[in-house]
Amino acid sequence: MDFTYDYGYIHREDPLSGNFGDAIVAVFLTIYLLALAVVLIFALVSYIFHSIGLYTIGKRMGRQYPWLAFVPFARDYFQGELAGEIVLKNKSIRNPGIWNLILPIIGSALFSIFMVFAVVAGSIATLAGGAGSVTITLMLIIMMYILSVIILIAVSVARIALVVLINKQILERFTSENMALVHSVASVFVPLYESLCFFVMRDKEFTSGKEQADNAADTEKTE
């Protein structure tokens, strides 16, 4: 009687390799592309509604070049100019459109300058050698990075405050002062809120006295 045994091993496919691994990659890629498409659609819808709202409001207020509402960056300036001079307690912002345009540029420029300086300083220290100089340079780089982040945060906070003041002054033409403030604050923190708010408000009647005040201000500028 033959008692010969076959000790061959059955090969089992690794579930993390081959077709299964490709399927996982394909699923993650599909999810990423869908999420990206949703973000792009929301951004496009927000841009269109926001631009239409600003364009209509600017046209009703008799502003020159209302088509600037559709031009990137230029619409930031146009939105600030729609608000007009912003009067605070002891000071006033005479050209909010210009500040609304340049504040993000200033923040990005300062952050870039500090980061370039940190990289250059680190490269010089690496080439010079020496444990002491490298330690000092690393401390300097960390300090410059922290300082640049603080400046970027400060500029961002200033921009947010400016946008709230701009939107409040624009929306006061269509609603009460308190509701204008609520809408302006919500516009900063809620996605699509600012765009939909301007789009909805664009055809509403001006509040009492606002339309006459805008026309008087335009007349003074023309003269």
Side-chain angles (χ1 to χ4, degrees):
M1 183 179 295
D2 188 5
F3 292 98
T4 303
Y5 296 96
D6 184 6
Y7 292 98
Y9 293 95
I10 299 175
H11 176 70
R12 296 181 180 273
E13 184 177 358
D14 187 354
L16 297 180
S17 63
N19 295 332
F20 187 78
D22 294 339
I24 293 178
V25 173
V27 169
F28 278 106
L29 183 60
T30 302
I31 295 174
Y32 171 77
L33 292 177
L34 288 175
L36 181 61
V38 171
V39 171
L40 291 177
I41 291 173
F42 267 85
L44 181 60
V45 170
S46 176
Y47 192 92
I48 293 174
F49 277 62
H50 194 181
S51 298
I52 292 175
L54 289 179
Y55 172 82
T56 306
I57 293 172
K59 194 172 182 180
R60 290 182 61 193
M61 291 172 59
R63 291 292 192 268
Q64 291 184 332
Y65 314 117
W67 50 266
L68 289 176
F70 294 94
V71 181
F73 301 107
R75 75 171 186 165
D76 294 331
Y77 168 80
F78 183 70
Q79 182 172 343
E81 291 304 299
L82 286 181
E85 182 178 357
I86 299 176
V87 180
L88 305 175
K89 288 185 177 180
N90 300 321
K91 297 181 180 180
S92 63
I93 305 174
R94 296 186 178 180
N95 299 297
I98 294 177
W99 287 108
N100 195 37
L101 176 63
I102 67 174
L103 272 178
I105 299 175
I106 292 174
S108 300
L110 290 175
F111 183 81
S112 300
I113 290 172
F114 282 123
M115 293 308 298
V116 169
F117 177 81
V119 172
V120 171
S123 301
I124 294 175
T126 302
L127 294 175
S133 60
V134 171
T135 302
I136 294 174
T137 304
L138 287 176
M139 293 178 61
L140 179 62
I141 291 174
I142 293 174
M143 291 176 59
M144 293 297 295
Y145 178 76
I146 294 175
L147 181 60
S148 63
V149 171
I150 292 174
I151 291 176
L152 187 61
I153 292 174
V155 173
S156 299
V157 171
R159 172 79 191 291
I160 290 174
L162 178 63
V163 170
V164 169
L165 292 174
I166 289 173
N167 290 346
K168 176 178 176 293
Q169 196 144 306
I170 294 174
L171 295 175
E172 281 179 357
R173 294 173 169 83
F174 306 98
T175 185
S176 65
E177 183 177 354
N178 291 334
M179 285 306 302
L181 179 60
V182 171
H183 289 312
S184 301
V185 174
S187 296
V188 174
F189 300 102
V190 181
L192 284 178
Y193 194 99
E194 182 182 32
S195 303
L196 294 177
C197 185
F198 281 122
F199 185 81
V200 171
M201 293 286 185
R202 75 191 193 283
D203 290 326
K204 289 188 65 176
E205 294 295 330
F206 284 98
T207 55
S208 178
K210 285 294 183 180
E211 188 172 12
Q212 291 83 351
D214 289 334
N215 292 335
D218 292 338
T219 303
E220 291 178 1
K221 290 181 180 179
T222 304
E223 293 177 354

